[in-house]
Amino acid sequence: MSSVIKVDIPENSYEISVAPGSLDQLGEQMTGLKLGKKVLLVSNPMIFKHYGERAIASLKNVGFDVVHYNLPPGERYKTLNSIQKIYDVALEHRLERSSTMVALGGGVVGDMTGFAAATWLRGINVVQVPTSLLAMVDSSVGGKTGVNHPQGKNLIGAFHQPSLVLIDPEVLKTLPAAEFRAGMAEVIKYGVIWDAELFTQLEASKHLDQLRYVKSDLINYILTHSCQAKADVVSQDEKESGLRAILNYGHTIGHAVESLTNYRLLKHGEAVGIGMIAAGEIAVKLGLWQKADTERQNALIQKAGLPTKLPAGLDIAAIIDALQLDKKVKSGKVRFVLPTQIGAVKVTDEVPTDTMRQVLEEMAG
């Protein structure tokens, strides 16, 4: 089962291709996009070991001149220092403005490759080939690229849309179970903010915590519906001037928790799961959401094997302080995405600090 989803942005439109076995058609799919001959494929050693040679062979078979570079794995390497190393390879390979960077990997590889492409020669082509569930349903689509600052996640970045997003569900077979669970947090997010039917489909599944227990037709449904939700939102608001902010559901407190634990304790999706539970509880206390709905959401998060409590020993005051560094802060006020029903949310900066503190204290590990 394959599908093509259009991200319809003026002057920056592109397609998301979801098809089993499509990794071997990467080169063929890129040939019709008027991309230059030179390609820099960026991955990490683990992903490259599984899929690097197949991707390179596919590109070389249709005439691309390919070089590759492997980044060290992990969020803590998502830094400007790593970007410098990509630039060094780009310079050595003499990448031109018509050239292309291909991101073969999860969200970290995709974000960094996208940012390197956005800034090399003031912007060259990038193709996203996500290999994790989180990257497939979220970070590879929409053109958000960037790296972390020591004091905050993704504070350094640029909007740079890909020329193509190629999703091969079969590569999920080598994804560690913990990474699969982390990606499921973003899937649940789409159900809460946009697609009530997706939420219902997730509820109907007996398991969400391991790929082997999730039916292949549900995986295809998850990929296509999550990508469609992201495409719908991004097509209406490419650079987050309004609607796109809803995609940050669960990320406000999630990012603060990641930053305070130095990106080592929790995976991004785990932190988002914690953030969604916090946002749901805040919405209930503010009278925006029904208690029954937050219980449905929390049950899904638990079914996906994600944490529901803050890491032990994390200082509540430090979390509240860290929220001030969030990219969504406007005029000194923290903006939260809060649910109003399954499938709909609102953005507000009217969350009292006392309410934040109360919810966080209730979630203390």
Side-chain angles (χ1 to χ4, degrees):
M1 178 181 162
S2 61
S3 55
V4 175
I5 298 153
K6 183 79 175 287
V7 184
D8 195 7
I9 300 171
E11 299 179 19
N12 285 313
S13 293
Y14 55 95
E15 292 182 344
I16 307 164
S17 170
V18 182
S22 58
L23 180 63
D24 295 312
Q25 277 77 55
L26 172 62
E28 192 178 319
Q29 293 228 25
M30 285 173 56
T31 52
L33 300 177
K34 299 180 181 176
L35 307 176
K37 187 179 180 183
K38 290 186 177 181
V39 170
L40 167 54
L41 183 140
V42 182
S43 190
N44 71 36
M46 204 177 312
I47 298 299
F48 191 84
K49 177 183 172 185
H50 288 300
Y51 303 113
E53 295 301 338
R54 280 175 60 191
I56 288 174
S58 173
L59 292 164
K60 285 185 173 179
N61 284 343
V62 293
F64 286 109
D65 172 14
V66 189
V67 67
H68 80 272
Y69 177 70
N70 284 334
L71 293 160
E75 186 83 26
R76 64 185 179 275
Y77 294 106
K78 193 175 164 185
T79 64
L80 286 172
N81 186 52
S82 295
I83 296 296
Q84 178 68 49
K85 291 174 181 175
I86 298 175
Y87 292 154
D88 291 344
V89 180
L91 182 62
E92 183 181 351
H93 195 53
R94 297 288 187 268
L95 257 64
E96 305 161 355
R97 282 191 170 165
S98 62
S99 302
T100 304
M101 292 188 187
V102 173
L104 177 69
V108 171
V109 167
D111 281 5
M112 286 202 282
T113 307
F115 183 64
T119 48
W120 182 252
L121 302 179
R122 296 189 176 91
I124 67 171
N125 306 307
V126 65
V127 168
Q128 295 282 354
V129 186
T131 59
S132 72
L133 179 60
L134 188 148
M136 288 179 182
V137 301
D138 192 70
S139 59
S140 67
V141 179
K144 273 191 177 180
T145 72
V147 295
N148 300 330
H149 185 277
Q151 293 187 47
K153 187 177 172 72
N154 292 332
L155 292 178
I156 306 158
F159 287 98
H160 189 59
Q161 300 296 340
S163 300
L164 168 71
V165 179
L166 184 141
I167 297 174
D168 183 348
E170 290 184 358
V171 306
L172 291 173
K173 291 174 183 175
T174 56
L175 186 69
E179 296 288 353
F180 182 80
R181 291 192 291 271
M184 197 57 71
E186 297 284 358
V187 177
I188 295 168
K189 176 192 79 175
Y190 286 118
V192 176
I193 70 169
W194 195 258
D195 189 336
E197 180 58 32
L198 171 60
F199 191 97
T200 302
Q201 291 290 333
L202 296 174
E203 285 185 308
S205 179
K206 192 171 182 181
H207 297 281
L208 292 175
D209 58 337
Q210 292 188 56
L211 176 66
R212 60 181 172 163
Y213 296 134
V214 182
K215 294 178 180 177
S216 60
D217 57 348
L218 179 58
I219 290 295
N220 286 326
Y221 185 94
I222 283 169
L223 293 174
T224 54
H225 278 250
S226 297
C227 287
Q228 187 65 64
K230 182 84 177 261
D232 288 345
V233 172
V234 170
S235 295
Q236 294 179 55
D237 178 19
E238 180 185 3
K239 297 189 175 177
E240 205 170 304
S241 58
L243 177 67
R244 186 167 178 168
I246 70 171
L247 296 173
N248 293 306
Y249 179 58
H251 288 59
T252 305
I253 285 173
H255 282 170
V257 170
E258 281 185 284
S259 179
L260 289 170
T261 53
N262 298 311
Y263 308 105
R264 291 172 184 263
L265 188 62
L266 294 169
K267 297 186 182 302
H268 174 64
E270 292 173 330
V272 169
I274 290 169
M276 287 194 292
I277 286 178
E281 295 297 337
I282 288 171
V284 169
K285 289 188 188 302
L286 296 181
L288 298 173
W289 207 23
Q290 298 296 317
K291 184 69 176 174
D293 285 339
T294 196
E295 288 171 354
R296 289 175 66 194
Q297 171 196 257
N298 296 356
L300 272 189
I301 291 169
Q302 284 183 302
K303 190 194 289 188
L306 294 162
T308 57
K309 295 286 187 182
L310 290 168
L314 204 57
D315 185 63
I316 303 300
I319 297 175
I320 292 171
D321 286 345
L323 293 176
Q324 289 297 325
L325 291 171
D326 192 87
K327 299 186 300 299
K328 297 173 288 299
V329 168
K330 193 172 184 179
S331 302
K333 286 189 169 185
V334 181
R335 289 194 298 160
F336 277 88
V337 182
L338 299 179
T340 55
Q341 63 186 58
I342 300 295
V345 289
K346 66 178 288 186
V347 181
T348 178
D349 60 7
E350 300 296 328
V351 178
T353 303
D354 286 348
T355 304
M356 294 183 217
R357 185 179 295 109
Q358 184 183 355
V359 167
L360 291 169
E361 286 173 351
E362 290 170 358
M363 292 179 62

